[in-house]
């Protein structure tokens, strides 16, 4: 039997630690800054909030959240696969426990930030950072993340965009929460909290996409150097990135030259610069951002082909 590699185990352990940190951040942002102001947000947390306020606090948010997550996972099992389901069960359990602990504490006291605008914006920022951290380490907090994961399996639709459409409907349902008064009074009271809920949804989705895209953003290099062979060999050996050699001609010198074309992750750019500088300080380099690089070593192209 082949033993698991040490670096592979360490990588998985690091992923799970960062997933837990992301989950706790989300739970903290939600329970400390959003829930105390009775603002309904998107996702399963929003469904849990609806049930919580509809039952006058009888059913905790964490209980509804965990139950809905298990239901969604049962529906999505065949689409997203066993690995995603196992990680999502782990994430759903951790986030429900975290919300359950924080909920009892923060709902038993006045809001930490009395001003609703500042409170929900801060909460949304913390939640967005948490969700983005979870996704870039292949985790999930469940809920609309499951729906987004199913959509991303078959198309290139943004995860954040998928979450927005689903979450906006959940937030809109808060207008039907119990209210003593006329329809006009209900609308006047609920519309501001719905707007706050939508603002939170957009901030979380934007930060999620920003963190995910920053992590996946690629960079394209063109490297001009007389020592191109040594540079190409070093990039392959040290940066573990492919190199394409292009035949070109310098029009000013009328000499044939070799141009190296390299793609790498944005976070690997410094490594490429260090390799080139260590071999040829006079090398000419251009660097541009690539919005999408698909193929081996990068992202997988996900499109639906038309049926013949």
């Amino acid at each position: 039997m082949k033993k698991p590699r040490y670096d592979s185990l360490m990588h998985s352990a690091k992923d799970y630690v960062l997933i837990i940190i992301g989950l706790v951040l989300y739970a903290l942002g939600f329970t400390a800054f959003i829930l105390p102001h009775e603002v309904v947000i998107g996702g399963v947390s929003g469904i849990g909030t609806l049930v919580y306020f509809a039952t006058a606090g009888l059913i905790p948010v964490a209980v509804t959240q965990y139950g809905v997550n298990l239901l969604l996972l049962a529906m999505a099992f065949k689409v997203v696969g066993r690995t995603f389901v196992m990680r999502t069960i782990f994430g759903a359990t951790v986030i429900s426990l975290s919300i359950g602990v924080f909920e009892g504490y923060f709902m038993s006291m006045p809001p930490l930030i009395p001003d609703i605008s500042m409170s929900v914006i801060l909460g949304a920022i913390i939640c967005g950072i948490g969700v983005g951290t979870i996704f870039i380490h292949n985790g999930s907090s469940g809920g609309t993340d499951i729906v987004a994961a199913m959509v991303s399996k078959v198309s290139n639709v943004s995860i954040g965009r998928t979450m927005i459409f689903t979450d906006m409907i959940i937030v809109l349902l808060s207008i039907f929460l119990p209210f003593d008064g006329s329809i006009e009074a209900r609308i006047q009271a609920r519309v501001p909290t719905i707007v706050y809920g939508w603002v939170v949804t957009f901030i979380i989705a934007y930060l999620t996409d920003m963190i995910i895209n920053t992590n996946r953003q690629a960079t394209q290099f063109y490297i001009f150097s007389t020592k191109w062979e040594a540079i190409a060999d070093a990039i392959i050996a040290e940066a573990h990135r492919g190199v394409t050699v292009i035949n070109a001609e310098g029009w000013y010198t009328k000499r044939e030259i070799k141009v190296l074309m390299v793609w790498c992750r944005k976070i690997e750019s410094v490594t490429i610069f260090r390799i080139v500088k260590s071999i040829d300080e006079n090398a000419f380099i251009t660097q541009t951002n690539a919005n999408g690089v698909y193929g081996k070593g990068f992202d997988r192209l996900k499109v639906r082909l038309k049926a013949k």
Side-chain angles (χ1 to χ4, degrees), residues 194-266:
I194 289 173
V195 172
Y196 281 123
W198 282 342
V199 169
V200 170
T201 298
F202 275 96
I203 293 175
I204 293 176
Y206 174 77
L207 285 175
T208 298
D209 268 353
M210 186 178 70
I211 292 172
I212 291 172
N213 291 333
T214 299
N215 183 69
R216 293 180 178 175
Q217 191 172 20
T219 300
Q220 177 178 280
F221 285 96
Y222 283 107
I223 303 168
F224 301 77
S225 172
T226 56
K227 301 177 181 178
W228 61 271
E229 290 180 277
I231 294 172
D233 290 339
I235 290 174
I236 291 173
E238 299 175 29
H240 306 292
R241 284 297 178 187
V243 180
T244 300
V245 181
I246 302 173
N247 293 316
E249 181 181 349
W251 195 246
Y252 181 77
T253 61
K254 300 299 190 293
R255 294 178 182 176
E256 290 188 358
I257 58 173
K258 300 289 186 180
V259 180
L260 304 181
M261 185 168 60
V262 181
W263 287 283
C264 68
R265 296 292 187 192
K266 189 174 182 180

Side-chain angles (χ1 to χ4, degrees), residues 30-274:
F30 169 66
T31 55
F33 302 103
I34 299 172
L35 189 62
H37 289 286
E38 300 187 7
V39 173
V40 176
I41 65 173
V44 176
S45 298
I47 296 174
T49 305
L50 289 171
V51 174
Y52 177 79
F53 289 121
T55 60
L58 184 63
I59 301 177
V61 175
V63 173
T64 303
Q65 184 177 28
Y66 198 63
V68 174
N69 274 328
L70 293 180
L71 179 62
L72 285 173
L73 282 173
M75 296 167 57
F77 182 81
K78 290 184 178 180
V79 178
V80 297
R82 181 175 178 274
T83 302
F84 180 85
V85 169
M86 295 305 296
R87 288 206 176 197
T88 304
I89 289 176
F90 169 78
T93 302
V94 172
I95 199 168
S96 293
L97 288 173
S98 301
I99 287 178
V101 172
F102 292 147
E103 178 185 346
Y105 176 74
F106 288 112
M107 291 303 288
S108 64
M109 56 188 292
L112 293 178
I113 301 178
D115 182 68
I116 184 172
S117 299
M118 293 302 299
S119 186
V120 298
I121 289 174
L122 178 59
I125 292 172
I126 295 173
C127 288
I129 294 172
V131 174
T133 303
I134 294 164
F135 265 105
I136 63 175
H137 293 283
N138 302 314
S140 172
S141 59
T144 49
D145 296 357
I146 301 172
V147 179
M150 287 191 290
V151 173
S152 69
K153 285 287 181 181
V154 296
S155 73
N156 285 321
V157 176
S158 157
I159 289 175
R161 192 181 305 165
T162 305
M163 291 168 63
I164 284 176
F165 290 127
T166 308
D167 294 347
M168 285 183 69
I169 296 173
I170 295 172
V171 174
L172 189 60
L173 292 175
S174 64
I175 199 168
F176 299 109
L177 286 174
F179 182 81
D180 294 330
S182 63
I183 295 177
E184 290 79 7
R186 174 191 291 269
I187 292 173
Q188 289 179 356
R190 295 295 182 206
V191 167
T193 58
I194 289 173
V195 172
Y196 281 123
W198 282 342
V199 169
V200 170
T201 298
F202 275 96
I203 293 175
I204 293 176
Y206 174 77
L207 285 175
T208 298
D209 268 353
M210 186 178 70
I211 292 172
I212 291 172
N213 291 333
T214 299
N215 183 69
R216 293 180 178 175
Q217 191 172 20
T219 300
Q220 177 178 280
F221 285 96
Y222 283 107
I223 303 168
F224 301 77
S225 172
T226 56
K227 301 177 181 178
W228 61 271
E229 290 180 277
I231 294 172
D233 290 339
I235 290 174
I236 291 173
E238 299 175 29
H240 306 292
R241 284 297 178 187
V243 180
T244 300
V245 181
I246 302 173
N247 293 316
E249 181 181 349
W251 195 246
Y252 181 77
T253 61
K254 300 299 190 293
R255 294 178 182 176
E256 290 188 358
I257 58 173
K258 300 289 186 180
V259 180
L260 304 181
M261 185 168 60
V262 181
W263 287 283
C264 68
R265 296 292 187 192
K266 189 174 182 180
I267 58 176
E268 298 170 326
S269 299
V270 175
T271 302
I272 302 297
F273 279 117
R274 285 174 179 169

Side-chain angles (χ1 to χ4, degrees), residues 2-23:
K2 187 178 179 181
K3 293 183 179 179
R5 291 176 54 189
Y6 174 74
D7 59 347
S8 151
L9 291 173
M10 289 298 294
H11 185 74
S12 295
K14 178 185 175 183
D15 273 348
Y16 275 103
V17 169
L18 290 170
I19 288 170
I20 290 173
I21 291 173
L23 292 166

